[in-house]
């Protein structure tokens, strides 16, 4: 989530964001760990509506969300964003939440993404065109 938020504030410094089982599009308390966070916060959800809306906005850099329906900790639907010019979702089967960082299929997805050439966002392309005009 930190990477996504930093990419929103400084897209010129970010090549791409790859999230693994990250519930940026989730509703408060819909993960298996949500009840614990609420309990530790005195019975109040630490996620208010404004924060949830902010987290759901995609950065203007290429973003890939890797998720698994068999996660077991995070609800997979909270890890899926709207497909767009900047965002894609990649489902991996039979991967636990803790397995995301070492499962061979997930590592192949991350390696493929890191090996792709740098993408220029629509914004940077537009900026380059405007600079040439003036």
């Amino acid at each position: 989530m930190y990477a996504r938020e930093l990419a929103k504030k400084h897209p010129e410094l970010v090549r791409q964001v790859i999230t693994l089982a990250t519930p940026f599009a989730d509703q408060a308390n819909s993960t298996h760990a949500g009840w614990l966070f609420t309990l530790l916060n005195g019975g109040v959800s630490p996620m208010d509506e404004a924060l949830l809306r902010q987290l759901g906005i995609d950065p203007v850099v290429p973003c890939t969300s890797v998720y698994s329906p068999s996660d077991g900790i995070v609800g997979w639907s909270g890890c899926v964003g709207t497909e767009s010019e900047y965002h894609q979702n990649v489902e991996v089967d039979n991967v636990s939440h803790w397995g995301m960082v070492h499962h061979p299929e997930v590592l192949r997805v991350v390696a493929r993404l890191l090996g792709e050439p740098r993408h220029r966002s629509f914004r940077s392309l537009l900026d380059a065109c405007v600079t040439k005009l003036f």
Side-chain angles (χ1 to χ4, degrees):
M1 293 218 199
Y2 290 119
R4 287 176 53 87
E5 293 306 302
L6 288 169
K8 291 175 197 177
K9 292 188 182 293
H10 300 286
E12 72 281 1
L13 300 176
V14 179
R15 177 179 175 215
Q16 68 177 317
V17 175
I18 303 169
T19 58
L20 305 178
T22 304
F24 59 87
D26 213 347
Q27 297 299 313
N29 300 320
S30 65
T31 68
H32 292 297
W35 67 270
L36 179 59
F37 290 121
T38 300
L39 179 68
L40 294 173
N41 200 36
V44 178
S45 174
M47 304 289 278
D48 65 14
E49 289 300 317
L51 178 57
L52 288 171
R53 279 192 303 278
Q54 173 64 27
L55 293 175
I57 297 170
D58 288 331
V60 290
V61 301
C63 294
T64 302
S65 173
V66 182
Y67 70 95
S68 178
S70 59
D71 184 297
I73 301 291
V74 173
W76 69 268
S77 61
C79 303
V80 176
T82 303
E83 295 272 340
S84 70
E85 171 187 3
Y86 291 109
H87 187 86
Q88 67 175 334
N89 302 297
V90 177
E91 179 180 325
V92 290
D93 290 323
N94 299 316
V95 180
S96 71
H97 188 73
W98 304 115
M100 280 283 174
V101 296
H102 59 77
H103 192 278
E105 186 178 354
V106 174
L107 296 177
R108 277 191 289 276
V109 168
V110 172
R112 178 183 54 81
L113 291 166
L114 293 176
E116 289 179 356
R118 182 179 176 98
H119 298 288
R120 293 185 72 180
S121 69
F122 177 76
R123 176 192 270 182
S124 65
L125 184 59
L126 182 61
D127 289 347
C129 290
V130 170
T131 302
K132 286 181 183 180
L133 290 174
F134 298 102

